[in-house]
Each structure stands twice: as C-alpha cells, then as structure tokens.
Amino acid sequence: MDAVTKRYPDGTTAVDRLTLEIPDGSITVLVGPSGCGKTTTLRMINRMVEPTEGRVLLDGRDIREAPVNALRRSMGYVIQHAGLFPHRTVVDNIATVPRLNGADKRAARRRALELMERVGLDAAFAKRYPYQLSGGQQQRVGVARALAADPPVLLMDEPFSAVDPIVRKGLQDELLRIQADLGKTVVFVTHDIDEAIKLGDMVAVLREGGRLAQYAPPAQLLSA
Ligand code: ADP
Ligand code: ADP
C-alpha cells in the first residue's frame, strides 16, 4: 500500500496515508482499537473499498489494472461470523467455489472433504447446516471455503473474535499450521494484541484516525 488514504463521503478519514509492504508467504496482522481503519484497509486490498488517494499494488502492479473478479478470485475472505450460506450444508458451502470454477460435482465434493480435514472438521459434519454447528465450527467452514479456490492470499477480518478463548486458541494453531503447509499470504485483522503477537510474522499497529503507529515483527514492537 503506497500512501493510501480513505475518506468516506461523510468526511471520516478511516485510513490516513498508509504505506505498508506486506511480505509474500507470511502472516501480516493489522491490529489496533475499534475504528482505527483495519477493516477499511483490508477491504482496499480486494477493492471492496476504493482508496481516496494513493495506490494498492500487488506484485508491483496497481490492482486497478486487473479485472476486479480476477483479483477477488486470488483472495479468500473470512469474516467474523463466517458468512456461510445458511441453506446449504457444510460440504456444499465449501464446494460452491470449486463448482463455480467448473469442477464437477464429485470432484468439488472430494475437494471440500479434503479441506474439512485440513481445517480440523470431522467428515461427520459434512451434511449439517450452519445453524447446527458451534461458532468455532462455523469459522472452520469459513476458512475451508476461503481456501477452496486455492487463492494465494487470505484476507481475514476478526475471524476468531466471536468464539470462546479455548476454541480460539485451536483455530489460531490451525491457521498457523495451514499457513505453514500451504504458504499463503495472510492479512489478518484483530483488535487483540496477544493474537497479533501470536500469529503475525509482521504486525502493523494502527491508531485512531487510521495512522500507522508501528510496523515490525512481534519481537521488535515497542510497548505503547
Ligand atoms: P476498524 O476495522 O479498525 O474497526 P473501520 O475500518 O471499520 O475500523 O472504520 C474506520 C473508521 O471509518 C471508523 O471511524 C468508522 O466509523 C468509519 N467508517 C467505516 N465504514 C464507513 C462508511 N461506510 N461510511 C462512513 N464511515 C465509515
Ligand atoms: P459453542 O460453545 O461453540 O457455542 P455450541 O453449544 O453451539 O458450541 O455447540 C456445541 C456442540 O453441539 C457442537 O459440536 C455443535 O456442532 C453441536 N450443535 C449445536 N447446535 C446443534 C444443532 N442444532 N443440531 C445438532 N448439533 C448441534
């Protein structure tokens, strides 16, 4: 992100001249209090939000040069309450993306079952509907669905914040394992500094007004 500013139409400056180089193949965490611009920053990476000023570059190229659909296909997106399709089973939630990409039904199902295993969900859950799962299980489905198209980039917005601490720890460990196995580039938003330190190879600390306060590996963060 090169000197990126986002001002919403009502005049709120959500992100203020943010320059950030997100390394390939590792986890970068955006952390800071509520309202400091984390979600806005994340959404400028997949063009759900357009910057007012500045540029977002992917592999050195302005993301506005490529079609937005291709950009979004290269980025899985996981949000706090999973955002699952309520009327589809777990396996169909995960298989939707491979199906849209042209996989036949059996191949998509096989892929979905593989992904369930990868995110630590028992195959017995395949035929359940989202409302029949615990919060933590729903988040696992959300991660599996985001991985289904095998995107190089995962954008995660407070994915584990709504689950209890023990389940959260399991999800964090799972994410670290998946990221190490698959080598994804992960951009992870949280307001929890402990989670940022645990997960981040790099941590960007934002403060009110959307300014970058620090950007460093966890061991080099200065206590504020
Ligand atoms: P965070 O994710 O850190 O909580 P956000 O990026 O959601 O922060 O919001 C940053 C600031 O921008 C906040 O002051 C928020 O109220 C404001 N904001 C977010 N979305 C909009 C919007 N669509 N219109 C106006 N202001 C917004
Ligand atoms: P959490 O502590 O994450 O909120 P829940 O109390 O929601 O957990 O769920 C506990 C267990 O009960 C989970 O294994 C979940 O899959 C199962 N479960 C929850 N709701 C239903 C349901 N409607 N039908 C079948 N199993 C359910």
Side-chain angles (χ1 to χ4, degrees), residues 125 128 131-135 137 164:
F125 291 115
R128 290 206 194 183
Y131 76 90
Q132 296 170 314
L133 302 178
S134 73
Q137 291 162 344
D164 68 65

mmCIF file of all heavy atoms in Angstrom, residues 125 128 131-135 137 164, ligand 2:
data_model
loop_
_atom_site.group_PDB
_atom_site.id
_atom_site.type_symbol
_atom_site.label_atom_id
_atom_site.label_comp_id
_atom_site.label_asym_id
_atom_site.label_seq_id
_atom_site.Cartn_x
_atom_site.Cartn_y
_atom_site.Cartn_z
ATOM 1 N N PHE A 125 -19.600 -33.861 9.926
ATOM 2 C CA PHE A 125 -20.314 -32.578 9.868
ATOM 3 C C PHE A 125 -20.722 -32.197 8.442
ATOM 4 O O PHE A 125 -21.397 -31.194 8.237
ATOM 5 C CB PHE A 125 -19.456 -31.447 10.446
ATOM 6 C CG PHE A 125 -19.246 -31.552 11.936
ATOM 7 C CD1 PHE A 125 -17.984 -31.778 12.463
ATOM 8 C CD2 PHE A 125 -20.330 -31.421 12.801
ATOM 9 C CE1 PHE A 125 -17.796 -31.880 13.835
ATOM 10 C CE2 PHE A 125 -20.151 -31.520 14.174
ATOM 11 C CZ PHE A 125 -18.880 -31.747 14.698
ATOM 12 N N ARG A 128 -24.351 -31.362 7.753
ATOM 13 C CA ARG A 128 -25.061 -30.423 8.639
ATOM 14 C C ARG A 128 -25.219 -29.061 7.974
ATOM 15 O O ARG A 128 -24.489 -28.716 7.043
ATOM 16 C CB ARG A 128 -24.272 -30.236 9.934
ATOM 17 C CG ARG A 128 -24.282 -31.471 10.801
ATOM 18 C CD ARG A 128 -24.075 -31.055 12.222
ATOM 19 N NE ARG A 128 -23.759 -32.195 13.061
ATOM 20 C CZ ARG A 128 -23.585 -32.109 14.369
ATOM 21 N NH1 ARG A 128 -23.652 -30.933 14.980
ATOM 22 N NH2 ARG A 128 -23.315 -33.171 15.072
ATOM 23 N N TYR A 131 -26.475 -23.656 11.014
ATOM 24 C CA TYR A 131 -27.063 -23.428 12.341
ATOM 25 C C TYR A 131 -26.852 -24.616 13.277
ATOM 26 O O TYR A 131 -27.077 -24.502 14.472
ATOM 27 C CB TYR A 131 -28.561 -23.087 12.217
ATOM 28 C CG TYR A 131 -29.452 -24.268 11.923
ATOM 29 C CD1 TYR A 131 -30.016 -25.003 12.967
ATOM 30 C CD2 TYR A 131 -29.712 -24.649 10.616
ATOM 31 C CE1 TYR A 131 -30.822 -26.104 12.701
ATOM 32 C CE2 TYR A 131 -30.509 -25.744 10.339
ATOM 33 C CZ TYR A 131 -31.060 -26.471 11.381
ATOM 34 O OH TYR A 131 -31.834 -27.559 11.114
ATOM 35 N N GLN A 132 -26.459 -25.756 12.732
ATOM 36 C CA GLN A 132 -26.224 -26.932 13.571
ATOM 37 C C GLN A 132 -24.776 -27.036 14.037
ATOM 38 O O GLN A 132 -24.376 -28.052 14.591
ATOM 39 C CB GLN A 132 -26.595 -28.200 12.797
ATOM 40 C CG GLN A 132 -28.072 -28.257 12.450
ATOM 41 C CD GLN A 132 -28.375 -29.385 11.487
ATOM 42 O OE1 GLN A 132 -27.669 -29.580 10.497
ATOM 43 N NE2 GLN A 132 -29.416 -30.143 11.771
ATOM 44 N N LEU A 133 -24.003 -26.009 13.781
ATOM 45 C CA LEU A 133 -22.590 -26.016 14.175
ATOM 46 C C LEU A 133 -22.344 -24.996 15.274
ATOM 47 O O LEU A 133 -23.027 -23.980 15.356
ATOM 48 C CB LEU A 133 -21.708 -25.632 12.987
ATOM 49 C CG LEU A 133 -21.799 -26.491 11.736
ATOM 50 C CD1 LEU A 133 -20.884 -25.908 10.670
ATOM 51 C CD2 LEU A 133 -21.411 -27.928 12.031
ATOM 52 N N SER A 134 -21.335 -25.255 16.074
ATOM 53 C CA SER A 134 -20.915 -24.246 17.044
ATOM 54 C C SER A 134 -20.224 -23.099 16.307
ATOM 55 O O SER A 134 -19.860 -23.214 15.128
ATOM 56 C CB SER A 134 -19.948 -24.865 18.053
ATOM 57 O OG SER A 134 -18.699 -25.081 17.450
ATOM 58 N N GLY A 135 -20.025 -21.999 17.014
ATOM 59 C CA GLY A 135 -19.363 -20.843 16.407
ATOM 60 C C GLY A 135 -17.983 -21.198 15.856
ATOM 61 O O GLY A 135 -17.616 -20.796 14.746
ATOM 62 N N GLN A 137 -16.889 -24.111 14.928
ATOM 63 C CA GLN A 137 -17.013 -24.987 13.754
ATOM 64 C C GLN A 137 -17.402 -24.180 12.519
ATOM 65 O O GLN A 137 -16.906 -24.427 11.417
ATOM 66 C CB GLN A 137 -18.044 -26.086 14.037
ATOM 67 C CG GLN A 137 -17.546 -27.083 15.072
ATOM 68 C CD GLN A 137 -18.654 -27.912 15.700
ATOM 69 O OE1 GLN A 137 -19.832 -27.576 15.596
ATOM 70 N NE2 GLN A 137 -18.276 -28.988 16.360
ATOM 71 N N ASP A 164 -15.101 -18.573 21.928
ATOM 72 C CA ASP A 164 -14.523 -18.522 23.281
ATOM 73 C C ASP A 164 -13.012 -18.798 23.228
ATOM 74 O O ASP A 164 -12.500 -19.330 22.246
ATOM 75 C CB ASP A 164 -15.271 -19.458 24.221
ATOM 76 C CG ASP A 164 -15.052 -20.902 23.864
ATOM 77 O OD1 ASP A 164 -13.910 -21.389 23.958
ATOM 78 O OD2 ASP A 164 -16.030 -21.551 23.446
HETATM 79 P P1 ADP B 2 -20.190 -23.243 21.272
HETATM 80 O O1 ADP B 2 -19.579 -23.449 22.623
HETATM 81 O O2 ADP B 2 -19.101 -23.106 20.214
HETATM 82 O O3 ADP B 2 -21.197 -22.145 21.207
HETATM 83 P P2 ADP B 2 -22.488 -24.955 20.817
HETATM 84 O O4 ADP B 2 -23.111 -25.049 22.172
HETATM 85 O O5 ADP B 2 -23.105 -24.083 19.795
HETATM 86 O O6 ADP B 2 -20.927 -24.635 20.979
HETATM 87 O O7 ADP B 2 -22.408 -26.402 20.200
HETATM 88 C C1 ADP B 2 -21.855 -27.484 20.900
HETATM 89 C C2 ADP B 2 -21.929 -28.740 20.026
HETATM 90 O O8 ADP B 2 -23.323 -29.020 19.708
HETATM 91 C C3 ADP B 2 -21.190 -28.601 18.712
HETATM 92 O O9 ADP B 2 -20.482 -29.804 18.476
HETATM 93 C C4 ADP B 2 -22.279 -28.413 17.697
HETATM 94 O O10 ADP B 2 -21.919 -28.999 16.452
HETATM 95 C C5 ADP B 2 -23.457 -29.139 18.292
HETATM 96 N N1 ADP B 2 -24.723 -28.465 17.915
HETATM 97 C C6 ADP B 2 -25.068 -27.182 18.138
HETATM 98 N N2 ADP B 2 -26.306 -26.892 17.652
HETATM 99 C C7 ADP B 2 -26.756 -28.060 17.086
HETATM 100 C C8 ADP B 2 -27.956 -28.451 16.403
HETATM 101 N N3 ADP B 2 -28.957 -27.591 16.193
HETATM 102 N N4 ADP B 2 -28.050 -29.716 15.976
HETATM 103 C C9 ADP B 2 -27.051 -30.593 16.158
HETATM 104 N N5 ADP B 2 -25.891 -30.297 16.800
HETATM 105 C C10 ADP B 2 -25.748 -29.063 17.246
#
